Amino acid sequence: MSGALPMEFDPASLILLNVIMACMMFGVSLSLRLEDFKRIALAPIAPLAGLFAQFLLLPLATCLFTWALNIDAELALGMILVASCPGGSFSNIMTWLARGNVAVSVSMTAVSSLAATVLTPLNFAFYGWLNPHTREYLTQITLEPGGILLLVLLVLALPLVLGMVTGRKLPGLVERSEKPLRIASLLVFLGFVGIAFFNNFGLFIERFHSFFWLVVFHNLLALSLGYGMALLLKLPVPDR
């Protein structure tokens, strides 16, 4: 949800972040099996429910919320943009740390990243136009499908396949590495949060009163919609 703020990361940091996430994705995938994805393919209700909440319910709810409360147009448009974006690869790491169904999360990430080439600009344009307060600020955004596909392959697909193959060939490695990987993943996550906060400390203090509670509410809204959708469909807790 950091996309709601103009956080500063230089290109080298972004490359390092993607490399680290690819390594973490490899660790997460050690315990995954092909059978996990076969079960999802036969009963895809969980990822479909997640995608419905992500690409339909969240942008709609964000638009209505910012409209009803007359949120400052620039902040409102930023929230609509964030709500229109797909979940990133780190969602798989967080799902793994929470002992959720990683196969469902990976499936959602892959499909939503590709669908975003159409749905993100479409949702942003539509809901930005629908809210009369943001309509005049609306600008066209573009996504490069080739770049998104390459990123999905390098950060998600390649580490996923390598991790699954390694986990099947070396089952003892999975058992020995699970706890250290969980700790390392959490530390890396906290480290990047700390770096983002340090690099944007002045901006954070300057605009704290205008965005902090909006970001908190927006995160709660997104999590509640996803969990609520899964609860409504009576999906098991790891899928939720």
Side-chain angles (χ1 to χ4, degrees), residues 81-137:
L81 177 58
V82 170
S84 302
C85 289
S89 295
F90 209 89
S91 62
N92 307 316
I93 312 298
M94 298 304 291
T95 300
W96 177 67
L97 287 172
R99 302 185 187 277
N101 190 330
V102 178
V104 168
S105 180
V106 170
S107 301
M108 272 193 61
T109 300
V111 175
S112 67
S113 296
L114 297 177
T117 58
V118 174
L119 293 179
T120 292
L122 183 65
N123 276 340
F124 180 66
F126 176 71
Y127 291 111
W129 173 86
L130 187 64
N131 184 337
H133 307 305
T134 60
R135 194 172 298 164
E136 63 179 292
Y137 289 88

Side-chain angles (χ1 to χ4, degrees), residues 52-93:
F52 180 80
Q54 184 173 27
F55 280 123
L56 182 64
L57 297 184
L58 181 58
L60 174 61
T62 301
C63 175
L64 295 177
F65 167 75
T66 56
W67 184 357
L69 294 186
N70 196 17
I71 302 297
D72 180 74
E74 292 183 352
L75 284 173
L77 201 57
M79 291 174 69
I80 291 172
L81 177 58
V82 170
S84 302
C85 289
S89 295
F90 209 89
S91 62
N92 307 316
I93 312 298

Side-chain angles (χ1 to χ4, degrees), residues 28-217:
V28 168
S29 305
L30 289 172
S31 58
L32 286 177
R33 296 292 179 266
L34 191 60
E35 291 75 16
D36 296 328
F37 294 98
K38 287 181 179 177
R39 283 195 295 272
I40 293 173
L42 292 173
I45 186 66
L48 288 177
L51 290 170
F52 180 80
Q54 184 173 27
F55 280 123
L56 182 64
L57 297 184
L58 181 58
L60 174 61
T62 301
C63 175
L64 295 177
F65 167 75
T66 56
W67 184 357
L69 294 186
N70 196 17
I71 302 297
D72 180 74
E74 292 183 352
L75 284 173
L77 201 57
M79 291 174 69
I80 291 172
L81 177 58
V82 170
S84 302
C85 289
S89 295
F90 209 89
S91 62
N92 307 316
I93 312 298
M94 298 304 291
T95 300
W96 177 67
L97 287 172
R99 302 185 187 277
N101 190 330
V102 178
V104 168
S105 180
V106 170
S107 301
M108 272 193 61
T109 300
V111 175
S112 67
S113 296
L114 297 177
T117 58
V118 174
L119 293 179
T120 292
L122 183 65
N123 276 340
F124 180 66
F126 176 71
Y127 291 111
W129 173 86
L130 187 64
N131 184 337
H133 307 305
T134 60
R135 194 172 298 164
E136 63 179 292
Y137 289 88
L138 186 63
T139 57
Q140 182 65 37
I141 62 170
T142 57
L143 296 175
E144 185 188 347
I148 292 177
L149 180 59
L150 181 62
L151 193 63
V152 169
L153 289 174
L154 293 178
V155 179
L156 180 67
L158 182 60
L160 175 70
V161 173
L162 291 176
M164 289 176 65
V165 171
T166 303
R168 185 174 286 276
K169 297 288 185 182
L170 303 170
L173 178 65
V174 178
E175 209 170 303
R176 293 193 303 271
S177 63
E178 182 174 3
K179 187 174 181 179
L181 279 172
R182 289 186 187 277
I183 295 173
S185 299
L186 186 58
L187 290 176
V188 168
F189 171 68
L190 293 175
F192 270 97
V193 169
I195 292 170
F197 180 76
F198 178 79
N199 288 345
N200 297 272
F201 182 75
L203 183 65
F204 185 86
I205 296 300
E206 178 188 343
R207 301 189 181 179
F208 178 88
H209 66 284
S210 63
F211 70 77
F212 180 79
W213 294 112
L214 287 178
V215 172
V216 171
F217 174 80

